[in-house]
Amino acid sequence: MTSSNIKAMIQCDSYKVWETVLAVEHYHTWRSDVSKTELIDEKQFIEYSPNGYSTTFTVTVVEQYKRWELNVRNSHTKGHWTIVFASKGNETEIDFTACVTAEMLSMRPVGKSVFEQTYLKKAQTQFVTDLKKFLQ
């Protein structure tokens, strides 16, 4: 399993950041890597990339306005995401840790680890970039 962490300051209060991140049914309005989301129930949803690739998320922890944790699974990877929200006056720091394991790759361990790291950094960076753009 490979882990990656990204921290970012968002020029917005933590309540608005929290509400935006947890409103998964609206991801298609601000996330450039999501074309639609499908809510399964209060704990599970599927997001679809612009080319139709699906990823299933299962919420495992919700600490209102503080912490959101999800198990993540698609045909290539499985893992866990943790996003911690910290109010810093009228700004919010998000601390986003993602851990994934590549599932269907029969690569050498080094190649597999490079894929995992690349996937994680790209997903995290895009999420934070899109969130900042939407809220600022």
Side-chain angles (χ1 to χ4, degrees), residues 2 4-6 11 16 36 40 44 47 49 52 59 63 73 82 91 94 96-97 108 119 124 130 135:
T2 300
S4 178
N5 177 265
I6 186 170
Q11 303 289 320
K16 178 73 173 170
K36 70 177 183 173
I40 305 302
Q44 195 170 56
E47 61 179 44
S49 70
V59 177
E63 292 178 25
R73 185 179 210 81
T82 301
E91 296 181 323
I94 59 168
F96 182 1
T97 302
R108 297 170 301 148
Y119 168 81
Q124 289 176 299
D130 289 345
L135 291 173

Side-chain angles (χ1 to χ4, degrees), residues 32-38 46-56 73-76:
S32 61
D33 60 344
V34 174
S35 64
K36 70 177 183 173
T37 52
E38 177 184 342
I46 302 170
E47 61 179 44
Y48 296 88
S49 70
N51 66 359
Y53 188 73
S54 65
T55 301
T56 301
R73 185 179 210 81
N74 59 38
S75 62
H76 296 299

Side-chain angles (χ1 to χ4, degrees), residues 4-136:
S4 178
N5 177 265
I6 186 170
K7 290 183 181 181
M9 292 300 292
I10 310 283
Q11 303 289 320
C12 191
D13 70 81
S14 61
Y15 299 105
K16 178 73 173 170
V17 175
W18 173 268
E19 295 297 328
T20 300
V21 171
L22 270 73
V24 299
E25 68 276 12
H26 297 295
Y27 276 5
H28 69 281
T29 65
W30 62 271
R31 288 192 49 201
S32 61
D33 60 344
V34 174
S35 64
K36 70 177 183 173
T37 52
E38 177 184 342
L39 299 175
I40 305 302
D41 58 35
E42 68 279 351
K43 295 274 188 188
Q44 195 170 56
F45 63 95
I46 302 170
E47 61 179 44
Y48 296 88
S49 70
N51 66 359
Y53 188 73
S54 65
T55 301
T56 301
F57 292 83
T58 303
V59 177
T60 59
V61 174
V62 178
E63 292 178 25
Q64 192 169 19
Y65 303 115
K66 295 181 181 175
R67 182 183 202 90
W68 196 41
E69 295 190 33
L70 311 103
N71 288 334
V72 181
R73 185 179 210 81
N74 59 38
S75 62
H76 296 299
T77 60
K78 69 177 180 179
H80 190 79
W81 288 11
T82 301
I83 304 174
V84 176
F85 303 77
S87 181
K88 307 282 184 179
N90 57 355
E91 296 181 323
T92 304
E93 179 183 66
I94 59 168
D95 184 347
F96 182 1
T97 302
C99 305
V100 299
T101 300
E103 294 245 276
M104 297 185 61
L105 295 178
S106 57
M107 297 182 186
R108 297 170 301 148
V110 171
K112 186 174 180 178
S113 148
V114 168
F115 169 80
E116 292 166 352
Q117 190 66 33
T118 302
Y119 168 81
L120 283 176
K121 274 298 176 201
K122 181 180 178 198
Q124 289 176 299
T125 301
Q126 192 64 61
F127 185 91
V128 169
T129 299
D130 289 345
L131 183 60
K132 281 183 171 183
K133 186 187 293 186
F134 181 73
L135 291 173
Q136 296 176 353

